[in-house]
Amino acid sequence: MQKLSSRSLAPDFGMEISGIDFSKPLESDDINFIRNAWVKASGVLLFRGQDITPQDHVRLTSYFGGVYDKGATANPVLAHYYADGFPQIYRVSNKKINGKPLGREDAGTYWHSDSAWDPAQPRGSILHAIEIPSAGGDTMFANMYQAYDALSEPMKKMLDGLTAEHSLAAAVLRTSYAKEFSGKLDEASKKNAIWPVVRTHPYSGRKALFVNPGFTARILELSQTESDVVLELLFKHSTSPEFIYRHSWQLHDVLMWDNYCNMHYAVANYKAHGDRFLHRTTVLPD
Ligand SMILES: [Fe+2]
């Protein structure tokens, strides 16, 4: 067994784990340690100094569930952002090679939970920092357990039992998806899912608020006006600084999050300070 140690990144949120090397296959004790830590840390785990290959990254991802590998075929609009020969690896970058974008530049520049519009929503993602700017380009995470816990009892009572529609079409209207899906709103509107507003995490058993400004279209049991106002309140509440961990990237950081209890936001303020290039894999529910 490797000697693992951990420290909190924020109060009751996020954990940095040291003493592990992802360039080698992991032993089952270490896998169990990290799987448990992923639940205990409210979804955010950090590992510094992991100079890994795409193969290592895919192997690491497989320890936590299925590995999404439909990159080249599932969504033609985004297919060219996947790494050559690795349909599991999505490239996030502002870089251009021969004038062509290396990866998706404006990925996630708004609060969201990845693919919330998918009825089989992936559990999480794992990012590897291959190139980072000298300043900026942080990623922020919201702890949606803490956001739920901090609500008043009358508000919890009102929200428990409500459901919301999440759709890609909502994101096309509100976010950087507008660029890729312009004129394809019909296609985007086919991608939607209904989730409880208060979602019980399948592993922790804890309740998390599950609405996000990127994809949540409306609360189905409320009138449109009521839904608009309640969602605005919940978006404001759940992005309070008290519930946020802001990650400042170092080269070869590996960072993972859990879509069922986190939102995240990529801060696009770095472009005068160098290039940013990350590889991302996606963990399917197991
Ligand atoms: Fe994202």
Side-chain angles (χ1 to χ4, degrees):
M1 169 151 179
Q2 304 188 45
K3 277 213 170 319
L4 304 189
S5 59
S6 61
R7 69 167 189 103
S8 288
L9 297 172
D12 301 315
F13 187 27
M15 203 182 277
E16 178 185 346
I17 296 178
S18 312
I20 197 141
D21 177 0
F22 292 148
S23 70
K24 301 181 180 77
L26 300 190
E27 292 174 20
S28 59
D29 284 353
D30 291 340
I31 296 169
N32 288 335
F33 181 94
I34 297 171
R35 286 177 68 108
N36 291 334
W38 200 18
V39 177
K40 266 195 283 184
S42 299
V44 174
L45 292 182
L46 169 66
F47 309 86
R48 300 269 195 205
Q50 303 291 330
D51 187 359
I52 55 172
T53 64
Q55 288 91 338
D56 297 334
H57 194 162
V58 171
R59 183 183 59 240
L60 169 67
T61 310
S62 72
Y63 296 137
F64 304 101
V67 184
Y68 179 81
D69 65 356
K70 302 284 185 294
T73 51
N75 191 337
V77 177
L78 304 176
H80 58 283
Y81 295 132
Y82 284 83
D84 295 336
F86 288 92
Q88 307 94 338
I89 293 187
Y90 187 69
R91 294 180 298 212
V92 176
S93 185
N94 62 312
K95 293 180 80 165
K96 289 191 169 62
I97 307 284
N98 298 327
K100 280 192 177 165
L102 175 66
R104 188 143 189 265
E105 180 173 0
D106 295 319
T109 51
Y110 50 93
W111 283 110
H112 66 288
S113 165
D114 283 342
S115 303
W117 44 265
D118 184 344
Q121 188 193 18
R123 180 174 172 200
S125 289
I126 304 178
L127 283 180
H128 171 218
I130 296 167
E131 199 169 339
I132 54 167
S134 57
D138 294 353
T139 305
M140 298 195 291
F141 295 89
N143 183 337
M144 300 301 273
Y145 294 133
Q146 288 178 339
Y148 175 77
D149 290 344
L151 291 169
S152 67
E153 289 306 317
M155 184 59 78
K156 286 180 185 165
K157 213 176 263 180
M158 189 192 88
L159 297 175
D160 270 321
L162 297 181
T163 57
E165 182 189 346
H166 301 251
S167 72
L168 187 56
V172 172
L173 295 173
R174 299 172 188 163
T175 75
S176 54
Y177 269 111
K179 214 160 51 180
E180 279 105 356
F181 281 86
S182 73
K184 299 189 177 87
L185 204 54
D186 280 355
E187 193 184 318
S189 67
K190 288 179 202 142
K191 295 185 183 294
N192 51 64
I194 294 169
W195 295 108
V197 169
V198 179
R199 188 171 178 181
T200 301
H201 194 284
Y203 295 99
S204 69
R206 292 179 67 188
K207 288 180 173 181
L209 202 51
F210 193 76
V211 290
N212 67 81
F215 298 121
T216 309
R218 65 168 293 179
I219 297 175
L220 295 171
E221 294 80 5
L222 303 184
S223 72
Q224 187 68 58
T225 307
E226 290 169 340
S227 170
D228 290 348
V229 172
V230 171
L231 283 176
E232 195 184 332
L233 180 153
L234 295 177
F235 295 158
K236 184 171 180 225
H237 168 76
S238 55
T239 54
S240 300
E242 287 76 10
F243 315 135
I244 305 302
Y245 165 63
R246 182 168 178 144
H247 185 64
S248 185
W249 290 93
Q250 293 182 13
L251 195 62
H252 296 310
D253 278 352
V254 165
L255 187 137
M256 58 196 282
W257 68 85
D258 183 325
N259 288 315
Y260 303 164
C261 57
N262 302 141
M263 292 195 293
H264 57 283
Y265 184 119
V267 184
N269 61 349
Y270 62 88
K271 287 168 198 171
H273 301 276
D275 290 331
R276 187 174 184 268
F277 178 26
L278 304 135
H279 273 172
R280 187 193 80 184
T281 56
T282 300
V283 183
L284 301 175
D286 59 10

